[in-house]
Amino acid sequence: WLKPFWLKPCRLGRTGLLRWRALVQQWRPRAMDFDDLEECEGGLGPSPQARRAELLAAACPDPARVEPPHRNRLGEAGRLKLVFMHGGGTNDRCSMPQVQNVFQQAASFGGRTWRENVEVEYFCGPHAVPREWHRGPEMAELMRTFGPNYWVYWDFSPPIETGGINHLFEDWVGFEETMDRFGEFLKENGPFDGLVGFDMGAAVAMQAARRAAEGDALFAKRFHFMILFTPYLPRTTARLAWARPRAPLDIPAFVSFSDADFSRPYATFEEVALFIARERRVVARHGDAHVPPRLAEGLEPTKRLGSFLHGMFTDPARWRAPREDAENVALQGVWLPIARVPAPLHEAIPGARRVLLVVHEPDLGRRASEYVQLLVDGGLGPAAPTEPGPPPFAAAAPKAATNPRHDRCALYASAAALTADDFRAAAAVDGALDVEGVEYGEEAARFQWGADPTSLPSQVALDPQDVVLDGKGQNKLALARDVAGTLLDRFAVVRGDLVGIVGIGHGAFIALQAAIQLVRTRGSVPVGFWAVHGPTVLPPEATAAMDIEVDGPGQLVDCPVRFLVGENGKPGAPWRWEVQTLGPFSIGVFKDAKEVPRMVLQEWRERLSSCTE
């Protein structure tokens, strides 16, 4: 039903018409010779599907084993011995009621109460901060009850007021000292059955598991399993990118978070789960935002944690996770990191097209600008710059000059307004390049792929540009596939042509489906794919490996994928884009939306120059 109005016919241009006329003239005088067809296909190498199957066989690194202690149930009277690590700016006094909220129901099994099944010690951060470290006045006042001492495992640089949390270049000040202190704590007080952490504390636990898997004597043989609430890893664009696991961690892990968490986009928490070996992880979403959840009796997360703890009580070495449940289908059959291959060397066939296809969402720039104005007017989020808190481990800071959220959304709005015309104009400066776009009909211009701002799970950590999810009665993935198919019907490209694809904003979601169909139906792997501020939350089926032969990682085979984002952007972890290819994946950063066409075109020329004649 979309095809009558969704896309206006694309202009082939004189070169395209001549090329198709020549192809028709070559075909008409002779009967089809299937031997010639097979010879032609063979000359282009294996099909993309065959290539993907070959790469998938080696794409998952061998899990890195976290060497456990020699026995389990290390507490008194055979209890599970746990160590809990708190969130930023709190302490053990604050953690004690949180521990009870988590374990009171989930750890009561075998006819015993939770206190008879687990015992808990606490490791506090080594860096003291004032109570006002909490930027929200209500939280700062609440923490007065648990004073007078407050601790962090690290602080953030840049400061929180300028976007330090979840910043592309987020640094952890004091991280190295904390890990050394924690290693000594484990040596003196361990071994433990499990590490339990919330927020910063969960990030510490992940780093301990990474170092144990790498053979660090301070952490190896110190614990059996992890329970992680709201965990995160260093960003790939940050100084501490080296502290990301180099292989999936072979350790039982229970990972839990809320989609409504206001500290970070929840894709960041999902990413942590992907770094745990698939058969060793349980993921449970809860509804308590940014806090260790109150797991009441009968709740699904309570049941899942109870089952996990029972497995740890019995035999953690032999425990294997159940299949992902329905709410975590997006993670099914997906893992990180991926053992990647270099970008392929495409063969430049004489007469083949070299075309860059730019896919945007109509009217997205205007709607994004209206959202920025809504923020500025106070309709959503803070209307004015927030009062800054202290810099790392200090008590005072200079006032912030701007509102980071307004700034990042404004930069997004300018990037979202880009179309193929901007790329054509940039291409004309350095010489003609074949750039094609798509023109949408009136009906399409009214369809909004992004989320309504008022329906976001978290209006603080998430912006509309971050999310493409189904509304009531919608199936946006099926719709995007239909749009992409219509687009390709009007896009003159065959196997052997050299194609690059650029998706702008939510248009990147449509562009991705076009690229996947190009691989599946035309037998052509794009030379490059660019997602400019692409959404980091997509419908679950966009990543799930329901049938690994057709779904899951590597849909673009070994096509290089670039995720481009503004320098003040704070997107969630872009793992949904990262898993689309088994070839190179990288993140590019721009300061001004005007840089984007030139950046992409330069990279496009570099990719074309690597193609062999």
Side-chain angles (χ1 to χ4, degrees):
W1 62 273
L2 289 167
K3 292 185 179 180
F5 65 83
W6 194 272
L7 293 161
K8 296 180 181 178
C10 293
R11 298 188 298 274
L12 289 176
R14 177 178 174 80
T15 302
L17 288 171
L18 290 175
R19 181 165 181 256
W20 277 105
R21 183 180 299 167
L23 288 173
V24 171
Q25 290 172 347
Q26 291 174 17
W27 174 78
R28 288 177 62 185
R30 54 185 291 195
M32 174 64 73
D33 187 328
F34 286 96
D35 291 336
D36 289 349
L37 180 61
E38 290 175 1
E39 181 179 345
C40 177
E41 288 290 322
L44 291 173
S47 70
Q49 290 83 354
R51 174 66 172 158
R52 175 177 178 261
E54 175 189 349
L55 295 179
L56 271 176
C60 186
D62 292 335
R65 187 165 186 258
V66 178
E67 193 72 24
H70 296 302
R71 63 183 182 89
N72 67 324
R73 296 171 62 178
L74 298 164
E76 292 184 9
R79 292 192 289 253
L80 292 177
K81 182 180 178 181
L82 310 178
V83 55
F84 185 89
M85 289 162 284
H86 56 77
T90 64
N91 53 37
D92 52 345
R93 292 185 61 194
C94 179
S95 300
M96 289 175 184
Q98 295 175 338
V99 165
Q100 180 167 340
N101 287 340
V102 168
F103 291 110
Q104 186 167 13
Q105 297 298 328
S108 297
F109 51 78
R112 298 178 297 272
T113 68
W114 73 279
R115 295 187 186 277
E116 293 172 319
N117 281 330
V118 301
E119 63 181 57
V120 184
E121 297 184 25
Y122 298 87
F123 171 72
C124 291
H127 308 293
V129 293
R131 180 170 53 84
E132 292 77 16
W133 184 88
H134 295 278
R135 274 56 174 179
E138 292 182 359
M139 183 63 181
E141 184 60 30
L142 176 65
M143 290 308 301
R144 188 188 296 274
T145 306
F146 303 103
N149 300 315
Y150 309 94
W151 309 98
V152 295
Y153 299 101
W154 50 74
D155 212 337
F156 298 101
S157 178
I160 292 175
E161 294 71 39
T162 55
I165 291 182
N166 203 43
H167 192 279
L168 288 169
F169 306 107
E170 173 188 305
D171 201 3
W172 302 349
V173 181
F175 163 71
E176 290 85 353
E177 180 183 349
T178 289
M179 294 311 300
D180 289 343
R181 294 274 193 96
F182 186 48
E184 292 297 331
F185 174 88
L186 293 178
K187 181 179 178 180
E188 295 173 6
N189 299 277
F192 291 88
D193 284 283
L195 308 185
V196 186
F198 165 65
D199 191 51
M200 265 189 200
V204 171
M206 271 298 287
Q207 290 302 312
R210 175 189 65 82
R211 289 180 61 166
E214 294 173 359
D216 190 321
L218 279 177
F219 298 93
K221 300 182 180 180
R222 306 293 184 189
F223 49 93
H224 284 280
F225 63 87
M226 298 187 296
I227 298 175
L228 309 175
F229 296 107
T230 319
Y232 56 89
L233 289 167
R235 300 204 69 138
T236 57
T237 45
R239 176 184 70 89
L240 294 173
W242 57 265
R244 295 166 66 86
R246 301 171 189 172
L249 299 177
D250 182 4
I251 180 174
F254 179 89
V255 182
S256 184
F257 53 87
S258 171
D259 290 357
D261 194 290
F262 53 79
S263 67
R264 297 171 187 267
Y266 65 85
T268 298
F269 314 135
E270 294 173 324
E271 178 191 49
V272 174
L274 299 181
F275 279 90
I276 307 295
R278 286 171 285 174
E279 69 279 7
R280 304 288 267 168
R281 71 191 185 210
V282 173
V283 179
R285 297 169 195 257
H286 62 77
D288 289 338
H290 187 65
V291 68
R294 181 185 294 273
L295 297 183
E297 185 177 6
L299 294 179
E300 187 59 31
T302 311
K303 297 176 185 177
R304 292 174 74 81
L305 179 56
S307 175
F308 178 83
L309 287 170
H310 190 269
M312 299 305 101
F313 204 83
T314 306
D315 189 350
R318 295 188 178 184
W319 176 87
R320 294 296 180 269
R323 186 180 178 88
E324 302 285 5
D325 64 339
E327 68 177 359
N328 293 302
V329 70
L331 311 178
Q332 183 173 310
V334 184
W335 70 88
L336 287 174
I338 291 173
R340 301 190 177 279
V341 297
L345 295 176
H346 290 263
E347 183 179 356
I349 301 173
R353 296 187 74 197
R354 303 180 180 215
V355 58
L356 188 67
L357 175 64
V358 180
V359 183
H360 69 290
E361 179 186 351
D363 213 27
L364 179 60
R366 180 189 61 80
R367 291 199 296 269
S369 296
E370 290 178 351
Y371 178 71
V372 174
Q373 191 59 52
L374 187 63
L375 289 175
V376 172
D377 293 341
L380 285 171
T386 56
E387 187 69 17
F393 319 138
K399 290 189 176 181
T402 60
N403 187 302
R405 190 181 187 196
H406 298 176
D407 293 344
R408 74 171 185 263
C409 290
L411 181 54
Y412 171 82
S414 59
L418 294 170
T419 67
D421 289 337
D422 297 287
F423 286 80
R424 292 191 187 101
V429 174
D430 300 323
L433 282 176
D434 197 355
V435 177
E436 289 200 14
V438 56
E439 296 181 5
Y440 293 83
E442 294 181 4
E443 191 75 17
R446 291 195 293 270
F447 187 84
Q448 295 189 30
W449 292 93
D452 184 289
T454 61
S455 69
L456 294 172
S458 169
Q459 295 182 16
V460 177
L462 290 169
D463 293 312
Q465 61 259 32
D466 299 323
V467 180
V468 172
L469 286 177
D470 295 338
K472 186 176 181 179
Q474 291 181 327
N475 187 334
K476 290 183 179 178
L477 180 59
L479 194 60
R481 287 171 174 169
D482 201 345
V483 174
T486 306
L487 184 156
L488 289 182
D489 285 345
R490 291 160 171 80
F491 185 46
V493 62
V494 296
R495 190 176 182 195
D497 287 342
L498 302 178
V499 180
I501 299 180
V502 183
I504 308 295
H506 300 139
F509 178 49
I510 302 171
L512 175 61
Q513 304 313 312
I516 291 173
Q517 291 189 36
L518 191 68
V519 170
R520 292 182 179 177
T521 65
R522 308 286 179 93
S524 181
V525 176
V527 178
F529 184 94
W530 292 263
V532 181
H533 259 303
T536 55
V537 175
L538 300 174
E541 294 77 13
T543 55
M546 309 299 289
D547 180 351
I548 194 63
E549 292 188 2
V550 294
D551 299 319
Q555 292 299 306
L556 301 185
V557 194
D558 48 7
C559 168
V561 172
R562 290 272 280 165
F563 184 81
L564 303 184
V565 62
E567 66 173 357
N568 56 3
K570 297 181 67 175
W575 67 263
R576 288 172 171 82
W577 299 97
E578 190 172 352
V579 302
Q580 300 300 330
T581 183
L582 306 176
F585 174 83
S586 58
I587 298 176
V589 180
F590 58 86
K591 294 183 178 181
D592 189 307
K594 296 177 182 178
E595 301 174 10
V596 173
R598 293 193 298 271
M599 180 186 301
V600 171
L601 288 168
Q602 179 180 346
E603 295 173 4
W604 171 234
R605 291 187 186 93
E606 292 172 356
R607 290 293 302 130
L608 290 177
S609 67
S610 68
C611 298
T612 59
E613 294 292 338

